[in-house]
Amino acid sequence: MKITAITAWAQWQPFVDGIYTCSGGRSAAGFDSTLLRVQTDAGLIGWGEYAPLGSFYDPAFVGGAREGLRLLAPLLLGADPQSTGALVRRMDLHLNGHPYAKSALDMACHDIAAQAAGLPLAEALGGRFGETVPLYRSVAQAAPAAMADKARAYVAAGYRRIQIKVGLDVGEDIERMHQVMDVLPAGTVVYADANAAWRPAQAREFLRATRDLAYTFEQPCAGFDENANVRAVCDRPLVLDESIDSLPAFLRAQQARLMDGITIKIARVGGITRTRQLRDLAVECGLGVTIEDTGGAQIDTAAMAHLSLGVPESHRTHTCDFHHWVTVANAQVPLHCAGGQMDAPRLPGLGVTVDPAAFGAPLFDLHAR
Ligand code: 0XW
Ligand code: MG
């Protein structure tokens, strides 16, 4: 099978809940997504999606992703999309770093490879454990009372897992934790995500003042040494997200027994090929595993769902229903959400049906000669 054409579109995806804010006043009004179609001489079509959270979350931004795709797409024309491992090597050879720019291409090739095998992506990547993955909802930073109202609304909408964004002023964050957790029904699973904003002393102060609350601590600090400092005094589950940007970063953190769980973001590690490697290794290491992405809508969420269902329930934590975070759609897909859980399509590949006529003029439309 050969790739005959690669086409990219931009899609602006406004947030249902308005401006999304995390620590340090970083904010975004939506996801600036890039949609990618890969066509083949076998008639199979694959879709990929990549959306950063602004330019502040990961070392990634929309301009870099689109320029990266312009550079990489010609190198994949004529190649076999089923050779996903070889294509990742080729992309790495020609573009050093910039994993986020490679993610949608890798995703679209996996979509095709799974369709060619006649399997849903979950099965093509090793199988599906159970039928659904738990969903969480992030409560963006705001005044403590406003965050409590938001959390209450998310619980009313069916979410049973709430991520509280902290990482600003420690005193206020302690207040945020108390006010939000006060309104949550018993049994709600809580994460406190500082998005790498704190110095160890601030994280330690937060831990001391919230000793009576049950929650998982997510990415308190940015650096390895800083998180190791926090780990030494943290008696509750500690999860790393931003730090887990590659297999070597994971191995170093695991060797130091730094975390109880990891959050793998598909684009951060360069796509589905590397997400699967990390996922399976983390399970073998006995860690809790979350698979999600930095943003996107139906296409990306389908990939998140398939990959998440490949984590045994004993190790699976949760994921996001990003397609419900935004006001626009980019595909039809049988992704059912109920009771704070989401399933994954049973159709071959990602299981998405896309009508590109709705996306307007493409960013580029490349055909093999
Ligand atoms: C809540 N998220 C999944 C959405 C953004 O991509 C950031 C991320 C997080 O863990 O902060
Ligand atoms: Mg996080």
Side-chain angles (χ1 to χ4, degrees):
M1 196 192 308
K2 281 195 168 72
I3 295 176
T4 53
I6 302 179
T7 313
W9 291 266
Q11 186 184 42
W12 174 244
Q13 302 169 342
F15 290 134
V16 169
D17 284 339
I19 308 275
Y20 178 89
T21 310
C22 68
S23 61
R26 300 174 281 178
S27 68
F31 293 130
D32 201 350
S33 186
T34 303
L35 314 175
L36 194 85
R37 182 183 67 190
V38 172
Q39 293 175 277
T40 64
D41 60 0
L44 294 176
I45 295 175
W47 283 94
E49 177 172 19
Y50 164 65
L53 179 62
S55 53
F56 52 78
Y57 176 67
D58 266 340
F61 69 112
V62 65
R66 290 178 187 164
E67 279 310 307
L69 285 172
R70 282 183 210 281
L71 188 151
L72 293 167
L75 302 169
L76 266 55
L77 283 180
D80 183 349
Q82 298 168 106
S83 304
T84 47
L87 295 184
V88 162
R89 294 260 157 224
R90 189 183 297 186
M91 289 196 281
D92 286 350
L93 188 67
H94 290 275
L95 177 62
N96 190 353
H98 302 273
Y100 62 99
K102 299 163 184 169
S103 186
L105 275 168
D106 182 63
M107 191 181 288
C109 290
H110 274 278
D111 185 16
I112 292 168
Q115 289 178 54
L119 295 170
L121 186 65
E123 278 69 23
L125 297 176
R128 174 183 315 237
F129 293 89
E131 289 299 318
T132 59
V133 51
L135 293 168
Y136 77 92
R137 194 69 196 222
S138 245
V139 184
Q141 286 223 341
M147 286 177 73
D149 285 345
K150 225 344 98 27
R152 205 188 275 114
Y154 290 147
V155 168
Y159 296 96
R160 295 289 170 265
R161 304 174 74 96
I162 293 292
Q163 184 192 60
I164 304 171
K165 290 294 183 195
V166 293
L168 266 181
D169 173 77
V170 181
E172 250 186 54
D173 283 327
I174 294 163
E175 191 51 34
R176 279 191 175 88
M177 290 297 286
H178 281 104
Q179 287 206 29
V180 173
M181 289 186 75
D182 264 357
V183 303
L184 297 178
T188 309
V189 175
V190 174
Y191 278 55
D193 189 356
N195 285 115
W198 277 331
R199 286 176 287 106
Q202 294 171 297
R204 291 198 306 267
E205 184 188 343
F206 179 81
L207 280 167
R208 274 196 306 277
T210 54
R211 207 167 264 153
D212 54 323
L213 302 175
Y215 65 91
T216 294
F217 203 12
E218 181 167 329
Q219 194 72 46
C221 306
F224 179 93
D225 291 338
E226 288 81 4
N227 285 316
N229 178 312
V230 174
R231 168 81 284 181
V233 297
C234 181
D235 62 352
R236 58 187 65 248
L238 185 68
V239 164
L240 292 182
D241 180 350
E242 284 90 327
S243 290
I244 306 302
D245 59 1
S246 65
L247 200 52
F250 169 78
L251 291 174
R252 184 176 181 219
Q254 174 57 15
Q255 216 152 26
R257 301 288 179 267
L258 222 59
M259 67 259 173
D260 301 288
I262 61 167
T263 297
I264 309 170
K265 291 215 163 53
I266 299 172
R268 178 188 294 140
V269 300
I272 287 178
T273 303
R274 292 231 158 81
T275 297
R276 185 206 182 170
Q277 288 173 349
L278 259 170
R279 175 192 79 177
D280 295 345
L281 195 57
V283 169
E284 291 303 321
C285 290
L287 299 176
V289 179
T290 295
I291 297 174
E292 57 180 20
D293 212 340
T294 47
Q298 277 80 3
I299 297 171
D300 219 300
T301 307
M304 289 157 50
H306 284 286
L307 281 158
S308 295
L309 279 169
V311 181
E313 289 110 315
S314 50
H315 294 65
R316 184 156 71 216
T317 46
H318 51 210
T319 193
C320 298
D321 53 339
F322 273 150
H323 60 309
H324 289 150
W325 289 36
V326 299
T327 60
V328 295
N330 55 32
Q332 288 190 318
V333 59
L335 274 175
H336 307 103
C337 298
Q341 306 260 335
M342 178 168 72
D343 66 0
R346 286 281 180 186
L347 303 169
L350 284 171
V352 296
T353 307
V354 184
D355 175 12
F359 304 146
L363 295 167
F364 64 79
D365 185 21
L366 210 66
H367 291 256
R369 272 180 276 152

